[in-house]
Amino acid sequence: MLDKLERIKGNLQEETKAINTLKGAEQLRTKYLGRKGSINDLMKLIPTLPVEKRAAYGQQINSLKIEITDIIEGLIKKFSSKTIPKNKTEIFDITLPGKRPSIGKSHPLTQTIDDIKEVFARLGFDVAYGPEVESEYYNFEALNIPPDHPSRTDFDTFYIKGDILLRSQTSTVQIRIMEKQEPPIRIIAPGRVYRPDTVDARHSFMFHQVEGLLVDEGVSFADLKGVLNQFIKTYFGQDIKMRFRPSFFPFTEPSAEVDISCSLCRSKGCNVCSYSGWVEILGAGMVDPNVFKAVHYDAEKYTGFAFGMGVERITMLKHGIGDIRLFYENDMRFLSQF
Ligand code: PHE
């Protein structure tokens, strides 16, 4: 028995001399330490021995196994770091394609905001920003939203402290801009807004809006319609139709909600448009004289229009995305599609 162990060790030492590649070292490992290797073969003999000899023999095999493992691991280590070929021309084969670094890109929502900015830039709109932490004055009062309006309750707005809150709409930027500038005004204002909505496939406690505001002498509802029509056709496609439904917002009068013909099913009816062929994409209207009063504009001299659209909504419609939560999960499988 012990002879056998010695022989195996001797063989290994002989074979080691002939090994000069990583592959060779790995083959050696299989041969000696693998499931069908020499060490395992020796183990199988244990039950054939007289009981009193088994323990001693087992120990011998184990120390041999440790020795062999050391030797083979050493070889593997040696050749792993030696895989660089000696011939330099083989290292730098300039005809091989290079490794392309993966280049990042904008989030789909940022892409939508950029697209919206671009369309409106061509129509002469500047981009303006306002703070996300706001006061009740900018989010409500100045926008003609009375104290008893439901959107002012704790359920519909995140209050921070006293009258400080997270803005629930980008309409706040209308006021901030008009306080600083005299007409003519022509801006869009993208940004985040917050509402304590329960998160589901269509709702999120945070989402994005793009506000629009145009104020000048002689601005009419037809101008609003013309601008929105231009935007919708450019962004969604020339064949998309638009319709206005009468609505109410405290800061616009008259007000409308604007629908487009469903861009996903081409108005044939699908679950996104609830089989109606139309989907709402924004709220709009003519600036209420009370808003002009808040910013000390002459409501006799100036008129204007405003609109506010949901960025997630528009992106979902454009790309047929069924769940708003996908935008916020940072899953590369989703994001890399855009
Ligand atoms: N601020 C409104 C909302 O969040 C949208 C809107 C903006 C409506 C401007 C009219 C004019 O629902």
Side-chain angles (χ1 to χ4, degrees):
M1 274 297 168
L2 293 183
D3 275 6
K4 218 171 188 170
L5 297 188
E6 281 306 315
R7 219 177 320 121
I8 288 176
K9 198 167 150 187
N11 285 348
L12 173 70
Q13 274 159 352
E14 269 310 302
E15 280 184 76
T16 307
K17 288 181 196 154
I19 300 294
N20 52 14
T21 60
L22 181 60
K23 200 168 166 207
E26 271 162 1
Q27 277 165 356
L28 215 55
R29 175 162 58 187
T30 316
K31 181 168 173 192
Y32 284 89
L33 302 168
R35 205 159 42 85
K36 291 182 181 158
S38 318
I39 293 289
N40 258 358
D41 284 347
L42 293 174
M43 298 273 197
K44 280 183 207 142
L45 296 176
I46 297 177
T48 68
L49 296 177
V51 181
E52 68 280 7
K53 288 199 172 162
R54 288 183 192 170
Y57 177 68
Q59 269 171 15
Q60 302 264 16
I61 299 180
N62 259 338
S63 47
L64 177 64
K65 186 177 177 183
I66 292 168
E67 246 179 281
I68 292 181
T69 309
D70 272 356
I71 294 171
I72 294 179
E73 292 296 322
L75 276 181
I76 288 178
K77 220 184 202 160
K78 184 167 152 199
F79 293 117
S80 304
S81 53
K82 268 209 175 168
T83 45
I84 299 171
K86 292 175 217 103
N87 189 341
K88 267 194 178 166
T89 53
E90 280 174 51
I91 310 175
F92 298 111
D93 181 350
I94 54 162
T95 65
L96 284 174
K99 275 190 194 152
R100 271 180 201 284
S102 66
I103 297 169
K105 51 182 172 173
S106 305
H107 190 279
L109 293 177
T110 309
Q111 288 181 32
T112 303
I113 292 173
D114 288 345
D115 291 346
I116 295 171
K117 279 185 197 163
E118 201 183 310
V119 178
F120 282 99
R122 276 186 251 150
L123 296 168
F125 284 74
D126 283 333
V127 180
Y129 296 96
E132 288 168 31
V133 179
E134 263 294 7
S135 67
E136 272 193 316
Y137 177 77
Y138 288 100
N139 203 65
F140 298 125
E141 253 113 78
L143 288 163
N144 198 34
I145 302 177
D148 59 353
H149 193 278
S151 72
R152 295 185 64 151
T153 63
D154 293 354
F155 309 113
D156 284 295
T157 299
F158 283 117
Y159 285 87
I160 293 180
K161 203 176 176 197
D163 75 331
I164 304 298
L165 46 78
L166 293 179
R167 70 177 176 193
S168 59
Q169 49 185 354
T170 44
S171 304
T172 52
V173 188
Q174 291 187 33
I175 305 299
R176 291 195 169 266
I177 291 295
M178 288 193 281
E179 276 182 346
K180 276 195 249 134
Q181 275 168 242
E182 286 299 311
I185 303 245
R186 209 185 281 200
I187 54 122
I188 56 165
R192 294 191 192 95
V193 300
Y194 301 83
R195 293 178 196 179
D197 286 340
T198 304
V199 176
D200 64 21
R202 290 174 162 259
H203 298 89
S204 166
F205 54 86
M206 182 282 302
F207 59 98
H208 298 72
Q209 288 187 329
V210 174
E211 191 80 8
L213 175 69
L214 187 147
V215 184
D216 205 342
E217 287 179 45
V219 177
S220 76
F221 206 93
D223 297 314
L224 168 63
K225 214 168 167 180
V227 164
L228 289 180
N229 195 44
Q230 183 69 37
F231 164 69
I232 285 162
K233 297 245 149 102
T234 313
Y235 186 74
F236 286 104
Q238 293 299 323
D239 55 332
I240 296 294
K241 291 199 219 33
M242 175 179 83
R243 75 175 183 189
F244 281 63
R245 277 180 294 107
S247 185
F248 174 79
F249 297 102
F251 36 93
T252 47
E253 183 61 34
S255 304
E257 270 166 324
V258 177
D259 300 341
I260 59 167
S261 54
C262 185
S263 58
L264 290 180
C265 65
R266 303 274 145 192
S267 293
K268 287 190 187 73
C270 65
N271 56 6
V272 170
C273 63
S274 308
Y275 298 91
S276 70
W278 295 93
V279 265
E280 185 200 322
I281 60 157
L282 57 87
M286 302 305 290
V287 179
D288 193 291
N290 281 342
V291 174
F292 283 150
K293 211 184 274 170
V295 295
H296 310 294
Y297 276 9
D298 183 350
E300 294 301 320
K301 189 171 169 196
Y302 297 114
T303 49
F305 64 73
F307 57 84
M309 56 182 118
V311 177
E312 279 79 351
R313 193 89 212 264
I314 286 177
T315 313
M316 288 165 84
L317 265 178
K318 174 119 175 181
H319 299 292
I321 299 165
D323 196 318
I324 196 171
R325 290 169 289 200
L326 288 166
F327 290 124
Y328 316 121
E329 285 167 352
N330 280 339
D331 186 336
M332 288 305 288
R333 290 169 301 179
F334 170 73
L335 295 176
S336 59
Q337 295 175 59
F338 301 93

